[in-house]
Amino acid sequence: MMKSSRIHYITQDMPNKTHQQLALEACQAGVNLVQLRLKEKEKGEMLKIALETQKICKQFKAKLVINDHLDLALAIDADGVHLGNDDLDHEIARTEFGKNKIIGATAYTETEALYHQQRGIADYMGLGTFRKTRTKPEIRNFLSLQQIKSLIDQQKQLDHHPIPLLVIGGVKISDIKPLLSAGVYGIAIASLINESEDKKSIYRTIQNIFQESGIDLNN
Ligand SMILES: Cc1ncc(COP(=O)(O)OP(=O)(O)O)c(N)n1
Ligand SMILES: Cc1ncsc1CCOP(=O)(O)O
Ligand SMILES: [Mg+2]
């Protein structure tokens, strides 16, 4: 299994910034994994954005995960791909992408999480959504802290290695400590960073919360 970062930073469509600019600013703030989340762009445009984003990530030694598109991840030899439940099957992706690449799954319910856990193909699961979010407004299913805790307990009872859980969806600074106390591996965030006036400071705050919770982000 490929080790996944505990803080996934996700780009998003924004009116005044390109995905490349967002990735650059996030890398300058210190993120070490960028998920490129492109929606409704044609293939050629996506390839150009992905290559430029990859160049930025390499400069900062950050990993690049492509959302939705295994073909694009293969074309640029990205570090990983994130595939949700309506995207390509993880087993096919693993065969085509290889065992040393990061493959992420999404779980919006406990049942989905246990399904991915049982399959044991994904390197991490994006678990959510935690709160309502403008970044993905169509999602209406929310997982409470209690539900997340119960899922972690169930994972622990299984005899195989628990797949790391990254909570996603409207995650705010004040959510991080309780989520980590509940036992989640990390968080996946878009607007918390993308809409921040001071990305370095917000990222440092996030890192400090992990540290105060006894988690070494370099390990
Ligand atoms: C880390 C992480 N977790 C979940 C998602 C959501 O994936 P998906 O359900 O396929 O939805 P889209 O992001 O494709 O709209 C994610 N991207 N990243
Ligand atoms: C991609 C995605 N999938 C579930 S919620 C979400 C959006 C996360 O973005 P934000 O951190 O801005 O809520
Ligand atoms: Mg998807």
Side-chain angles (χ1 to χ4, degrees):
M1 281 234 161
M2 184 77 187
K3 218 167 165 191
S4 166
S5 300
R6 289 181 185 265
I7 305 170
H8 280 218
Y9 159 72
I10 306 177
T11 69
Q12 67 189 116
D13 287 335
M14 288 191 94
N16 51 352
K17 276 185 187 158
T18 64
H19 287 259
Q20 299 92 309
Q21 276 172 318
L22 288 171
L24 175 62
E25 289 174 8
C27 285
Q28 284 169 336
V31 309
N32 62 11
L33 185 144
V34 172
Q35 181 191 127
L36 185 63
R37 184 166 177 267
L38 300 170
K39 294 284 171 183
E40 292 163 32
K41 294 221 170 9
E42 57 101 6
K43 285 272 165 199
E45 173 72 359
M46 284 204 280
L47 180 60
K48 179 176 177 286
I49 297 171
L51 284 169
E52 289 176 9
T53 305
Q54 185 177 47
K55 207 169 151 195
I56 294 161
C57 288
K58 283 195 168 155
Q59 273 167 10
F60 287 87
K61 297 190 169 35
K63 291 192 172 108
L64 176 64
V65 171
I66 302 290
N67 188 42
D68 290 345
H69 305 284
L70 179 66
D71 54 349
L72 187 55
L74 283 166
I76 67 162
D77 191 27
D79 301 294
V81 68
H82 185 92
L83 299 168
N85 302 320
D86 298 331
D87 304 318
L88 183 72
D89 183 80
H90 294 89
E91 195 169 359
I92 299 172
R94 182 59 78 199
T95 306
E96 290 187 17
F97 208 18
K99 66 178 189 333
N100 293 324
K101 296 290 189 182
I102 303 169
I103 297 183
T106 301
Y108 290 131
T109 63
E110 186 184 280
T111 310
E112 285 174 6
L114 293 172
Y115 167 75
H116 288 301
Q117 175 66 50
Q118 210 159 34
R119 283 188 102 191
I121 301 169
D123 297 294
Y124 70 87
M125 270 187 259
L127 178 71
T129 52
F130 192 56
R131 292 182 186 283
K132 191 161 173 52
T133 172
R134 269 184 287 140
T135 316
K136 200 166 161 84
E138 66 271 28
I139 297 288
R140 290 199 167 75
N141 190 54
F142 305 101
L143 289 179
S144 67
L145 192 61
Q146 206 44 52
Q147 287 172 305
I148 293 170
K149 272 187 193 149
S150 142
L151 177 62
I152 291 168
D153 283 344
Q154 292 183 65
Q155 261 191 330
K156 277 185 197 149
Q157 281 159 22
L158 301 168
D159 54 1
H160 41 271
H161 169 76
I163 296 180
L165 301 176
L166 298 167
V167 172
I168 187 165
V171 173
K172 302 188 294 192
I173 287 291
S174 58
D175 295 325
I176 302 174
K177 195 164 181 260
L179 284 171
L180 294 177
S181 301
V184 308
Y185 183 75
I187 51 168
I189 44 173
S191 51
L192 185 61
I193 301 249
N194 293 333
E195 290 174 11
S196 161
E197 293 285 315
D198 185 348
K199 296 183 182 182
K200 278 201 177 83
S201 154
I202 201 115
Y203 194 68
R204 212 175 306 121
T205 304
I206 297 170
Q207 286 177 305
N208 288 341
I209 299 170
F210 274 79
Q211 224 156 33
E212 285 158 16
S213 303
I215 296 169
D216 181 1
L217 286 170
N218 301 312
N219 214 325

